Amino acid sequence: MYKVSVYVTPKKGILDPQGATIERALPALGHTGVGQIRVGRFITLEVEGDEREAVSAEVDSMCRRLLANPIIEDYSFELSAEASGGYESGTQEAGA
């Protein structure tokens, strides 16, 4: 079993109205020197499997086909293998 964290963000050059709104609002709240804000999604899931490479390929397929829109979004993910009593550290990233 693997715990998976998926990060989805707009591709560079794609309009990000939420990021632009936050970028305009932060100075009004006293936070200066912040820029290039991109708002995305964080998705967690658990995937059954024993082989890290097979689970990684399955998660990559999920991202390309449903969790992200590869035309306008980038994605990456991290895998953590379940150890007895919790999850073992170690991550792997992939993306479009």
Side-chain angles (χ1 to χ4, degrees):
M1 174 85 63
Y2 285 86
K3 183 175 181 180
V4 182
S5 298
V6 179
Y7 306 90
V8 181
T9 56
K11 286 187 181 235
K12 189 171 185 139
I14 297 294
L15 181 64
D16 182 3
Q18 288 178 306
T21 299
I22 292 169
E23 192 167 332
R24 286 189 307 271
L26 285 174
L29 297 173
H31 303 285
T32 59
V34 180
Q36 300 301 314
I37 297 172
R38 309 295 283 169
V39 175
R41 295 186 306 282
F42 176 65
I43 304 162
T44 60
L45 52 135
E46 292 183 352
V47 179
E48 292 183 14
D50 296 324
E51 296 183 28
R52 185 179 195 87
E53 291 301 318
V55 171
S56 179
E58 185 174 0
V59 172
D60 189 64
S61 177
M62 289 181 213
C63 289
R64 281 184 287 108
R65 298 179 72 197
L66 179 66
L67 301 178
N69 179 346
I71 295 170
I72 61 169
E73 296 174 316
D74 287 327
Y75 65 89
S76 64
F77 59 87
E78 299 174 355
L79 303 176
S80 298
E82 182 179 19
S84 59
Y87 286 93
E88 190 178 296
S89 64
T91 60
Q92 179 174 343
E93 292 191 25

